[in-house]
Amino acid sequence: MYLTPSMAKLVHEFNKLPGIGPKTAQRLAFHILKISATEARVLASAIIEVKDRITNCPICYNITEDSPCSICKDTTRDHGLICVVEQPSDIIAMEKTRVYKGDYHVLQGAISPLDGIRPDNLRINELLMRIQQEKVKEIIIATDSDVEGEATALYLERLLRTMVARVSRIAHGIPIGSNIEYTDEVTLSKALESRRIL
Amino acid sequence: MYLSSLQIRNFRNIKETQLQFNTGVNIILGQNGQGKTNLLEAIYFLGIARSFRTSCDSALISRDMDGFFLSGIVVQQHIQDKIDVLLEDTKKVRINNKFLPRIIDLIGHFQVIIFFPEDLHLVKGTPDIRRRFLDILLSQSNPQYLHYLQRYNKIHKHCNEMLWQLKTGQQVITMSELDVWDIQRQETGNQLIRARKEAIEVLNDLAAGIHHQIATSPTLMEDGGSSEILKISYKPSMFNKEKRVDEIRKGHTLNGPHLDDMVFQINEIDARRFSSQGQQRTASISLRLAELEYLYQQTKELPVLLLDDICSELDDVRREYLMKAINRGGQIFITTTSLDTIKELMDGARVFTVRNGLIYS
């Protein structure tokens, strides 16, 4: 397959993105070739802009363009409640619920010795500082349920239980609107384990 | 459960073939080195997504080819499933034309049991062979087991990484960090231990009965044989916090289910070290037959049996017993160099002849 040097470079760059294989990279590159120069510039500047503008909130470490972020600034939210998540994208999912009205804390990862990620590499010290400075009533640990997420949850639980009145872990169970018969065995047994008395 | 047809492309010395199978006995006849076992290996691969002969998948690709392709129709209670397994750059599995997100999810869709000469090592060999036996059996009968096994292996790797760093002093690691992984390792490990314990108790009962029947057959008794009692017991590697110091010194974990073993005793004597090869072979066959019964009890389906060159290693008594015991109406694939050794299975059987990678029916 023959590509001009500039096309080859673009394909190569797309190929580096997560979830983009060589074929998709090539398709995207040809799409860019088709769009107008203005559109291409808008796209390019959008990429530059996020890199220039976005920083971490100095309180919760979510991505933000203001300092502190809109959630930390919001006086209507319950600042005594902190939900600890691994990634900024987890906040987006939580916010879509519109149920949660507390604050967040983004760890920016999970403990993973195999990847060289230790508690010190996460925003755990920053979380401890927050707990000392603010009046925190409850910490909700909402890390993933893979082994790294569970290890992080366990580490935080043991670290925080003497410092905060309540440390809780989000529940795992059957997705709403799905049939029990189609739920995988592992999820179903977890749901049985954490059943509640009516 | 049975395999109704199989398409093979570029697998070992089988270039391209499309086969229709008997729901009962399928005899794979041929001289040595023609490709009989390769056909069994392809069928096994469709069930477990790995070989029973090698852990290197690329060794299964025909010479000078880039990949292999297997596609089989599996029928279970009148429902057909099409299973495709392909190896190109990576291994992929499709069920009814849908790719599975993880290869491992294949296990349980098509249950197979292999009987082959290397089964002797179930008794005689190293503990990892017995652990693999247990893992494959339990994964086929219980999807949750596989989930815990994978989780355990991942946690275990993390643990070893931390212990190694502690040993080499590359980084300062606090005990509370290690605790977090150890707690998880124990929780998950205990699930494996519990499942293995339950399974071995059932296997022991089943295998002891089978072994006793083979060993006390009139012919063997006349030959001066004596009654034999087989006992299979579980030897779990229990978690022990006091080992922590040693673990840090060595840089890896020293206990847990990844170090478990199964112990075979014949008349209360360690069969691995002190029994004769004949006794060990009887014990290994008893275990395989117990596996068949266990899977049947758990899933209410007869798994597909693959017997590779099993008759050549057995005397007439054991051979006849085995032929009777396996012939329960389920599907069987058996390789042989001569029909004489498997005459008990000939009734209604379909014979496939293998010559230089080509299969004739």
Side-chain angles (χ1 to χ4, degrees):
Chain A
M1 179 70 205
Y2 172 77
L3 283 171
T4 66
S6 60
M7 271 298 267
K9 190 176 164 198
L10 187 57
V11 171
H12 181 72
E13 291 305 315
F14 276 133
N15 199 3
K16 287 191 205 160
L17 299 175
I20 307 284
K23 278 182 193 156
T24 314
Q26 194 175 305
R27 197 161 58 233
L28 287 173
F30 273 104
H31 176 76
I32 299 289
L33 206 57
K34 252 191 282 180
I35 62 177
S36 70
T38 325
E39 277 180 286
R41 268 202 192 87
V42 171
L43 176 64
S45 69
I47 292 172
I48 308 277
E49 213 166 297
V50 289
K51 291 310 289 177
D52 285 347
R53 286 214 189 160
I54 297 220
T55 56
N56 287 321
C57 168
I59 300 172
C60 71
Y61 293 90
N62 186 16
I63 50 167
T64 181
E65 295 187 20
D66 309 322
S67 177
C69 74
S70 57
I71 293 173
C72 290
K73 262 196 307 214
D74 188 341
T75 51
T76 64
R77 296 186 80 109
D78 181 353
H79 296 301
L81 202 56
I82 297 178
C83 178
V84 180
V85 296
E86 290 180 19
Q87 304 295 345
S89 50
D90 298 332
I91 293 185
I92 298 169
M94 294 290 278
E95 280 300 285
K96 278 188 187 156
T97 67
R98 294 172 185 265
V99 173
Y100 182 68
K101 293 289 175 209
D103 285 357
Y104 293 97
H105 191 85
V106 183
L107 295 174
Q108 298 183 338
I111 301 174
S112 178
L114 284 172
D115 300 308
I117 301 175
R118 310 264 317 281
D120 291 350
N121 304 116
L122 302 174
R123 299 288 181 182
I124 292 177
N125 284 330
E126 289 82 349
L127 177 64
L128 297 181
M129 300 264 282
R130 267 180 94 174
I131 291 167
Q132 279 160 10
Q133 284 161 9
E134 300 168 28
K135 285 196 190 99
V136 178
K137 299 189 301 268
E138 181 174 351
I139 298 278
I140 304 168
I141 304 172
T143 52
D144 290 346
S145 62
D146 54 15
V147 296
E148 293 81 13
E150 287 293 342
T152 311
L154 200 57
Y155 182 85
L156 287 176
E157 193 250 321
R158 291 159 68 97
L159 190 67
L160 301 177
R161 65 185 164 201
T162 53
M163 302 172 68
V164 186
R166 252 173 87 166
V167 180
S168 59
R169 176 91 173 103
I170 53 161
H172 304 294
I174 303 163
I176 301 294
S178 69
N179 283 321
I180 287 183
E181 63 171 323
Y182 298 134
T183 308
D184 71 278
E185 298 84 354
V186 178
T187 307
L188 203 51
S189 62
K190 278 276 172 219
L192 275 169
E193 267 171 40
S194 49
R195 67 184 182 275
R196 60 192 168 84
I197 308 291
L198 297 173
Chain B
M1 169 177 293
Y2 66 93
L3 181 65
S4 82
S5 67
L6 177 65
Q7 187 191 350
I8 303 176
R9 202 182 300 145
N10 298 336
F11 188 89
R12 296 259 193 199
N13 74 342
I14 306 171
K15 287 275 165 241
E16 172 84 57
T17 192
Q18 170 76 46
L19 303 163
Q20 303 289 327
F21 298 120
N22 194 350
T23 57
V25 179
N26 295 277
I27 296 168
I28 302 159
L29 180 69
Q31 297 304 311
N32 290 329
Q34 301 300 308
K36 300 189 297 295
T37 306
N38 298 347
L39 177 54
L40 281 197
E41 200 176 22
I43 298 171
Y44 188 84
F45 210 94
L46 209 59
I48 314 275
R50 58 181 287 174
S51 164
F52 55 84
R53 290 201 284 189
T54 172
S55 56
C56 173
D57 288 337
S58 56
L60 304 172
I61 302 170
S62 301
R63 206 177 298 163
D64 302 328
M65 291 296 162
D66 299 328
F68 69 74
F69 173 73
L70 306 168
S71 176
I73 305 283
V74 173
V75 183
Q76 185 175 4
Q77 288 165 350
H78 306 293
I79 295 169
Q80 288 196 354
D81 281 317
K82 179 162 159 279
I83 302 179
D84 303 330
V85 181
L86 41 149
L87 180 77
E88 282 163 343
D89 306 331
T90 57
K91 191 154 53 173
K92 292 190 190 105
V93 178
R94 247 179 347 215
I95 294 184
N96 297 326
N97 299 322
K98 267 200 218 108
F99 281 107
L100 294 186
R102 301 176 312 163
I103 304 296
I104 210 108
D105 294 328
L106 169 69
I107 294 179
H109 281 88
F110 174 47
Q111 282 150 1
V112 287
I113 293 183
I114 177 83
F115 289 69
F116 67 137
E118 280 86 338
D119 278 348
L120 188 61
H121 296 294
L122 286 170
V123 181
K124 208 180 161 179
T126 46
D128 60 301
I129 296 169
R130 288 180 284 280
R131 284 194 297 271
R132 187 158 61 226
F133 166 85
L134 279 174
D135 287 342
I136 291 176
L137 171 62
L138 283 160
S139 302
Q140 288 204 86
S141 59
N142 176 2
Q144 277 200 54
Y145 180 85
L146 190 54
H147 164 80
Y148 285 119
L149 181 65
Q150 286 189 298
R151 236 181 133 91
Y152 181 84
N153 290 339
K154 187 80 187 282
I155 296 166
H156 180 223
K157 274 190 199 155
H158 280 301
C159 281
N160 275 348
E161 178 64 31
M162 305 209 83
L163 288 165
W164 183 253
Q165 288 189 4
L166 271 169
K167 176 194 154 96
T168 55
Q170 288 168 0
Q171 291 201 47
V172 185
I173 286 166
T174 61
M175 286 304 123
S176 62
E177 270 181 80
L178 202 50
D179 279 345
V180 165
W181 289 99
D182 252 2
I183 291 166
Q184 272 211 90
R185 197 164 75 85
Q186 282 198 31
E187 276 177 10
T188 317
N190 284 334
Q191 301 276 1
L192 299 181
I193 292 173
R194 205 176 61 204
R196 287 177 179 179
K197 182 170 178 290
E198 281 172 18
I200 292 172
E201 278 167 11
V202 178
L203 286 172
N204 173 51
D205 287 345
L206 295 168
I210 296 162
H211 189 95
H212 185 73
Q213 280 182 42
I214 302 178
T216 56
S217 70
T219 337
L220 280 189
M221 295 297 273
E222 273 168 32
D223 282 357
S226 56
S227 172
E228 281 179 16
I229 295 166
L230 171 69
K231 186 165 184 278
I232 304 173
S233 45
Y234 183 32
K235 201 174 124 202
S237 166
M238 298 306 269
F239 291 106
N240 178 359
K241 242 196 138 167
E242 284 161 22
K243 286 250 178 106
R244 170 73 65 89
V245 180
D246 289 336
E247 288 181 329
I248 294 170
R249 196 164 47 80
K250 297 240 176 177
H252 59 81
T253 59
L254 293 172
N255 48 40
H258 63 287
L259 296 169
D260 280 357
D261 199 2
M262 250 193 314
V263 181
F264 288 74
Q265 287 173 303
I266 296 172
N267 294 340
E268 295 182 3
I269 290 167
D270 182 3
R272 183 181 171 191
R273 293 167 61 200
F274 300 114
S275 292
S276 71
Q277 184 128 323
Q279 287 176 317
Q280 290 174 340
R281 197 160 293 281
T282 308
S284 70
I285 288 173
S286 303
L287 181 65
R288 283 293 184 200
L289 288 170
E291 180 187 15
L292 160 64
E293 190 56 38
Y294 180 86
L295 265 186
Y296 180 61
Q297 283 181 7
Q298 296 289 315
T299 63
K300 308 289 175 225
E301 278 283 337
L302 276 172
V304 171
L305 302 186
L306 309 173
L307 295 99
D308 186 30
D309 193 26
I310 200 78
C311 298
S312 59
E313 306 281 336
L314 298 178
D315 57 39
D316 284 346
V317 178
R318 292 188 176 86
R319 195 185 54 74
E320 272 170 39
Y321 182 89
L322 180 64
M323 292 300 128
K324 248 192 342 223
I326 56 166
N327 209 351
R328 298 183 44 180
Q331 193 179 32
I332 296 173
F333 292 86
I334 183 165
T335 67
T336 185
T337 49
S338 144
L339 293 176
D340 294 341
T341 57
I342 52 165
K343 47 190 182 295
E344 293 88 345
L345 295 176
M346 286 299 291
D347 200 21
R350 184 158 187 180
V351 180
F352 297 84
T353 309
V354 183
R355 208 173 302 133
N356 196 17
L358 295 170
I359 301 161
Y360 308 90
S361 57

